[in-house]
Amino acid sequence: MSYFAENLKNYRENAGLSQMELSKKMGTSHQNINRWERGEVIPSIEVCIKLADFFNITLDELVGRKN
């Protein structure tokens, strides 16, 4: 599993959201959330920015990038 996939799932769960709830907030399908969390697909940079903004984190935090 990629850092992105693992981090997305952790941030979603820590926010107390189901995949369905997050998908509604992001304007996408719950199937997309599921694929992202399983590491099958990585969303576009625009969606990553939207996710980072939603969780109030940096893109680096979302993708697991460390300095």
Side-chain angles (χ1 to χ4, degrees):
M1 181 181 291
S2 72
Y3 288 115
F4 170 82
E6 186 176 330
N7 286 347
L8 176 59
K9 183 175 182 179
N10 287 335
Y11 283 114
R12 177 184 59 77
E13 288 177 343
N14 288 340
L17 297 170
S18 68
Q19 288 183 349
M20 183 66 77
E21 291 167 327
L22 180 59
S23 71
K24 288 179 183 176
K25 293 181 183 298
M26 293 295 107
T28 190
S29 69
H30 73 276
Q31 290 94 341
N32 278 340
I33 303 292
N34 186 270
R35 285 189 288 250
W36 299 342
E37 288 186 0
R38 289 195 331 245
E40 292 179 7
V41 178
I42 295 176
S44 69
I45 189 66
E46 291 84 7
V47 173
C48 289
I49 291 168
K50 192 174 178 181
L51 286 164
D53 288 347
F54 177 79
F55 290 117
N56 197 31
I57 59 173
T58 66
L59 284 173
D60 285 347
E61 290 171 307
L62 182 62
V63 300
R65 182 174 183 253
K66 307 216 192 268
N67 292 338

